[in-house]
Amino acid sequence: MYDEDLISHILTGEGIRNYPQDLRQRSAEELRGLFAFASSGRVNATRVIKNLIWQASTAIRDGRRPPIAGNLRSFWYTDIKPVLSRLGVPVEGRRATELVYDAFVELVTHHHLFHYRDLGFLDEGAPTRAVGQTNGTCILFAEKDGRFAVRRAGAM
């Protein structure tokens, strides 16, 4: 993990702050004050999303909140969509959910600030992955989950 100065530098560059109050509980007016562009007054949805993700990750890490125990879509419905809806940001269609996925990739994969497992996301693919006992270097792939059992039997 990074030292506090580097984390602070990364967070500042991403427009992320450590807000003392749960952003999910703030009013639309308060949120606009924090996340609207000064020039246009439009809400910066990407900054809202990144701050919600960061706030969830630190709350879970510090034990102030239980892990997600769901998938990214669960997090979208519990944490992101209600806030964006309150702000009048369009949440229908793919654009809004893609912003969430992109924000996670940025924070987890690019900046390495935390891992998906740190938030308690379920690994939905775990039942369909296995390392063979005799050919651990051989990768077998089944496009359909329903065919995995046959592939597993052949690999073991």
Side-chain angles (χ1 to χ4, degrees):
M1 196 60 170
Y2 303 129
D3 67 29
E4 290 300 316
D5 289 337
L6 182 55
I7 291 173
S8 178
H9 178 74
I10 293 169
L11 295 177
T12 300
E14 292 295 331
I16 298 171
R17 293 182 42 205
N18 288 307
Y19 294 99
Q21 184 182 356
D22 188 339
L23 294 172
R24 298 172 301 163
Q25 305 304 318
R26 290 204 167 183
S27 70
E29 183 179 325
E30 290 174 308
L31 291 165
R32 275 191 202 89
L34 296 172
F35 299 109
F37 291 108
S39 58
S40 67
R42 288 182 49 234
V43 172
N44 184 336
T46 299
R47 273 192 42 223
V48 173
I49 292 166
K50 287 181 179 180
N51 276 276
L52 286 166
I53 293 169
W54 179 251
Q55 193 168 69
S57 73
T58 57
I60 292 167
R61 179 196 67 205
D62 297 344
R64 293 179 281 118
R65 173 182 174 166
I68 304 301
N71 57 22
L72 284 174
R73 197 90 179 136
S74 305
F75 186 75
W76 159 255
Y77 282 114
T78 59
D79 287 51
I80 307 292
K81 186 178 181 185
V83 173
L84 294 182
S85 294
R86 192 174 326 130
L87 288 167
V89 174
V91 294
E92 302 305 322
R94 295 186 65 190
R95 186 181 186 295
T97 54
E98 285 176 358
L99 288 176
V100 174
Y101 298 142
D102 291 347
F104 268 107
V105 168
E106 188 76 18
L107 300 176
V108 174
T109 307
H110 181 71
H111 292 303
H112 307 284
L113 292 172
F114 53 89
H115 301 280
Y116 290 102
R117 69 177 169 268
D118 297 340
L119 278 79
F121 286 121
L122 301 177
D123 182 359
E124 295 174 338
T128 57
R129 263 194 312 277
V131 177
Q133 295 175 356
T134 56
N135 290 313
T137 58
C138 181
I139 298 173
L140 293 176
F141 173 77
E143 183 178 356
K144 304 292 182 198
D145 289 347
R147 302 305 300 158
F148 183 73
V150 173
R151 300 297 175 257
R152 178 190 296 258
M156 301 300 192

